[in-house]
């Protein structure tokens, strides 16, 4: 059985490590490989996999929206996120799209920070693909209000228009006000990624009961998470989300949940070490 991940670049994806460790642990005769089609080559890749010889694909940047568009059927989660991170190739040639990033996000918040989205207003930084999926998952899980803050206001406004009155938009200069009374703050921008532009946020206005999550996981302990822990706030990291989205993908590919005894977080942490 073959499954994989498609992205560009895909070389540093941790998904092959995670899925192959689970396959070995479960004793399944299968393999999970990385594909990096040309910018214009994703549709041909998907067409070539129709029929189910390859069980399915996880999809990452920049193909997530195209994956949804190419599929014959899509889950509510994929439609609300406007993107698919999972394609399943059925034997009848149909391609099914799903989005398990939301499952991963909620698992990370629950398992690492004991947080449920109905706890109160949630500040989401960003308005790109990850932010759309995040807002969709939070609202579906009962978040009473989402406060979007993004560099490009128009992009945040477009998401607010898409999701309706539970989503409001604030400018970056008003971030302190947006944090007031919030139950959580989630970074869904690419800021804070190792080697990239830093995320400059002062968490002082957040209530002491709030939870902070960073979807960036390189480095794992981002300055945002370090600041949150320094304030005594509960925190959840992007690696927990990555593993959380991989679990339902594995089940969709191979027909059984991943083996609980395989510590894929420890393996991923080792792979994330600077010199590995
Ligand atoms: P997009 O490119 O779609 O969006 C990027 C977002 O970051 C936009 O909101 C953009 O703002 C903002 N941004 C980028 N650069 C700057 C800057 N210099 N100053 C201010 N804002 C900036 O990316 P995605 O939404 O797909 O991904 C976002 C992050 O989430 C990535 O780091 C990705 O790796 C991570 N991610 C993690 C997952 C996990 O499992 N842990 C799953 C999915 C994503 P603007 O609109 O103004 O350009």
């Amino acid at each position: 059985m073959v499954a994989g991940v498609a992205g560009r670049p895909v070389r540093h994806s941790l998904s092959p490590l995670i899925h192959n460790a689970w396959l070995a642990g479960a004793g399944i005769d299968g393999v999970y490989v990385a594909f990096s089609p040309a910018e214009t080559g994703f549709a041909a890749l998907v067409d070539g996999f129709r029929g189910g010889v390859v069980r399915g694909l996880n999809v990452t940047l920049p193909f997530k929206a195209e994956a949804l568009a190419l599929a014959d059927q899509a889950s509510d989660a994929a439609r609300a996120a406007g993107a698919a991170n999972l394609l399943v190739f059925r034997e009848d040639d149909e391609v099914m799209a799903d989005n398990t990033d939301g499952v991963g996000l909620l698992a990370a918040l629950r398992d690492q920070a004991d947080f449920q989205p109905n706890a109160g207003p949630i500040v989401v930084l960003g308005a790109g693909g990850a932010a759309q999926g995040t807002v969709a998952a939070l609202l579906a899980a009962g978040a009473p209000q989402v406060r979007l803050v993004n560099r490009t206001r128009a992009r945040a406004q477009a998401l607010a228009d898409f999701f309706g009155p539970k989503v409001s938009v604030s400018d970056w200069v008003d971030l302190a006000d947006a944090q007031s009374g919030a139950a959580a703050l989630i970074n869904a921008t690419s800021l804070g990624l190792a080697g990239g532009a830093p995320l400059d946020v002062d968490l002082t206005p957040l209530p002491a009961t709030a939870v902070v999550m960073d979807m960036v996981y390189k480095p794992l302990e981002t300055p945002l998470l370090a600041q949150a822990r320094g304030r005594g706030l509960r925190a959840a990291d992007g690696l927990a989300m990555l593993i959380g989205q991989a679990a339902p993908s594995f089940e969709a590919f191979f027909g059984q949940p991943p083996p609980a005894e395989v510590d894929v977080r420890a393996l991923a942490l080792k792979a994330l070490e600077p010199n590995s």
Side-chain angles (χ1 to χ4, degrees):
M1 289 185 276
V2 181
V5 55
R8 190 174 174 85
V10 79
R11 183 185 300 266
H12 298 293
S13 170
L14 291 172
S15 294
L17 177 82
I18 292 169
H19 284 272
N20 285 317
W22 279 337
L23 282 168
I28 295 173
D29 183 11
V31 65
Y32 183 101
V33 289
F35 299 95
S36 189
E39 290 274 348
T40 54
F42 183 67
L45 187 86
V46 168
D47 247 2
F49 289 165
R50 277 181 194 270
V53 173
V54 169
R55 293 291 182 107
L57 279 181
N58 285 123
V59 184
T60 185
L61 288 175
F63 302 122
K64 284 182 164 188
E66 190 179 354
L68 175 63
L70 288 168
D72 301 299
Q73 291 185 49
S75 68
D76 289 346
R79 273 197 295 268
N85 76 326
L86 172 62
L87 293 178
V88 172
F89 302 106
R90 291 199 334 204
E91 285 177 9
D92 64 3
D93 269 14
E94 296 262 286
V95 180
M96 321 293 290
D98 199 356
N99 194 314
T100 64
D101 281 338
V103 174
L105 175 91
L106 299 179
L109 287 168
R110 183 192 61 229
D111 297 346
Q112 291 196 319
D114 193 22
F115 180 78
Q116 298 294 341
N118 62 3
I122 300 172
V123 180
V124 174
L125 308 179
Q132 180 166 345
T134 295
V135 176
L138 293 174
L139 291 179
Q145 193 194 15
V146 174
R147 302 170 181 171
L148 278 179
V149 183
N150 192 48
R151 173 179 61 179
T152 309
R153 187 185 172 99
R155 225 173 159 195
Q157 191 56 54
L159 283 193
D161 294 345
F162 178 76
F163 285 112
K166 285 185 178 167
V167 179
S168 62
V169 176
S170 298
D171 287 317
W172 207 271
V173 290
D174 299 322
L175 185 54
D177 285 347
Q179 291 182 74
S180 170
L185 179 142
I186 300 173
N187 176 34
T189 72
S190 43
L191 292 172
L193 204 59
L199 174 62
D200 185 18
V201 171
D202 176 5
L203 296 174
T204 312
L206 270 186
T209 50
V211 163
V212 174
M213 165 147 192
D214 202 333
M215 289 174 58
V216 167
Y217 56 86
K218 284 178 193 173
L220 184 67
E221 184 72 355
T222 60
L224 181 76
L225 293 186
Q227 187 189 158
R229 289 191 224 277
R231 266 207 60 198
L233 304 177
R234 288 171 292 152
D237 64 50
L239 181 57
M241 176 173 172
L242 185 79
I243 295 169
Q245 64 75 36
S249 299
F250 184 91
E251 188 157 1
F253 299 144
F254 304 113
Q256 62 188 76
E261 67 278 9
V262 180
D263 188 352
V264 286
R265 185 174 170 92
L267 293 173
L269 286 175
K270 205 161 167 38
L272 284 171
E273 279 171 13
N275 296 322
S276 63

